[in-house]
Amino acid sequence: MPRPSSLSRIVADPAPRGSGSTDIAKGWMGLPGWDSAPRNGQPALHATADVPPRRCFAVQDYLALAGHPALRRAADAILHDRAHGPSVILPDSSPTAPVLALERRIAAFLSLGCAVAYPSGTEAVRRIFRALLAPQDSVIVDSGAVLAMSETVLATGARLLRSPPGSVEGVERRLRRLSVASGPGRIWVAVPAISPYGSTMADLAALSAVCRQHGAGLIVDVTHDLGSMAPGGGGVMEIQGIQGCADIVVGSFAECFGAPGGFAAFQDQRLKDRLRAGRVQAKALSPAFAATILAALDIAESSEGSRLRRRLHGNTLRLRNHLMADGVPVLGHPSPLVPVRLPKTSALARTELVESAGVAVTLLQSPHVAARAPRWRLELNARHSLADIDDLADLVRDVTRIFDRRARQASL
């Protein structure tokens, strides 16, 4: 039976405004260390303060932990402890006890020896690349990676090569060329486990083998899969059975662990010492955020976290299946991000029509994606109900059909 038109049954939402993750996000802005700039080089989100959580698909809070009572209690305990007052988050301060505990915890979670925490995922990428790279080095960066990776490679003077998103063959071809003309520098390959722009899942097992074959190092960004994917929350590396195999793992905590923050994890203790020395002038991660992320990790590794991941995965599959059945061009692999390809000429108008229905979505345009290939990035979480997913699918279907019909009429 065909689903009824969503545009014909838009009603005022009874949920109180400002509830859920939006309210928590506003609350974090009053704490030291909040960075309101776009995360990891990604476009700023649409304003969502007036959108009820169940109609918001433009906030990355995959397990919906931002408003969890356990995270509130963890942050409150630190903020009310005089031993962790403002003096411990000054730029030149040493890592606090919660930050050190977080570094040990994330290293163990990733089956790596060491980790360093930062105030954002973008800062983690910049710091680790600057510590690793020299002008004689070469870096193959996946085209689906965050812009901070390419920008930092260029800033270090290293040679930058781009490979197609998720293409093992593209990486291997470039490694073969670099091996033939090898110089004194090191070769690195940097990829996202899940691309934030196309939801492309990297074949990390194959990439790890190719890198070993050519003597290259592998850097993996796990921002959009760690905690939110795989039975134990280990993300793509757990799914593919290669935990602990990457040379460097970087990521942001904000998307899944309820608070701003980032990290770089690896095996080499000497690299950690070098990063520590270079972090003196860097802004430190707030101990309140570190305590919040630790509480989120407790949930992620518990049975509750498993239930939330199963629900999130179910939401992802349900939305993708609905959209594909309706002929909507869905990109990538199943993940908390569902990209929908849009025609360049009507992308803005389609987005305005969706938002006029009271639904918030993220529109990706150049430079984050090719100018000819704008798309919506529908960002799901574990608190979206089946009805929320169905309503979104109906709305996308109806908007798509309206504009397709206009295009056909214009061509007559």
Side-chain angles (χ1 to χ4, degrees), residues 1-219:
M1 178 181 297
R3 301 193 300 277
S5 170
S6 59
L7 292 176
S8 66
R9 53 186 175 84
I10 298 168
V11 296
D13 193 281
R17 296 186 184 275
S19 61
S21 59
T22 304
D23 186 52
I24 299 303
K26 288 190 292 183
W28 278 130
M29 293 182 185
L31 296 177
W34 172 261
D35 181 5
S36 60
R39 294 170 301 183
N40 291 353
Q42 297 184 40
L45 299 174
H46 290 275
T48 59
D50 293 328
V51 179
R54 73 180 189 85
R55 299 180 70 84
C56 181
F57 299 90
V59 169
Q60 294 169 7
D61 181 23
Y62 301 142
L63 297 187
L65 296 181
H68 198 286
L71 274 63
R72 287 180 179 271
R73 289 194 297 269
D76 288 344
I78 294 294
L79 292 173
H80 288 91
D81 185 347
R82 290 183 179 274
H84 298 103
S87 62
V88 303
I89 56 173
L90 293 177
D92 60 350
S93 62
S94 299
T96 58
V99 173
L100 293 173
L102 175 59
E103 291 177 347
R104 292 190 295 270
R105 181 74 174 276
I106 196 64
F109 193 48
L110 292 166
S111 301
L112 292 168
C114 307
V116 178
Y118 292 96
S120 71
T122 299
E123 184 70 10
V125 167
R126 289 172 178 161
R127 292 287 168 175
I128 193 71
F129 274 51
R130 287 170 181 164
L132 288 174
L133 299 180
Q136 64 268 27
D137 294 337
S138 299
V139 188
I140 301 170
V141 177
D142 187 286
S143 296
V146 293
L147 296 180
M149 285 190 172
S150 299
E151 292 168 351
T152 310
V153 171
L154 293 174
T156 65
R159 181 183 178 187
L160 171 66
L161 298 90
R162 304 296 296 270
S163 65
S167 173
V168 178
E169 294 78 8
V171 170
E172 190 169 17
R173 285 195 301 272
R174 287 158 179 78
L175 284 174
R176 283 199 298 266
R177 290 202 300 268
L178 289 171
S179 298
V180 171
S182 61
R186 181 87 191 268
I187 301 173
W188 293 92
V189 175
V191 300
I194 294 290
S195 168
Y197 309 128
S199 190
T200 302
M201 181 185 294
D203 187 344
L204 297 178
L207 284 170
S208 179
V210 168
C211 287
R212 286 198 303 271
Q213 178 183 350
H214 292 275
L218 178 61
I219 304 171

Side-chain angles (χ1 to χ4, degrees), residues 62-63 109 193-194 199 201 224-239 256 309 312-313 333-337:
Y62 301 142
L63 297 187
F109 193 48
I194 294 290
S199 190
M201 181 185 294
H224 299 282
D225 62 308
L226 189 69
S228 64
M229 294 176 65
V236 174
M237 289 191 289
E238 179 184 343
I239 293 171
C256 194
R309 279 188 293 275
L312 174 61
H313 186 58
H333 299 87
S335 82
L337 307 175

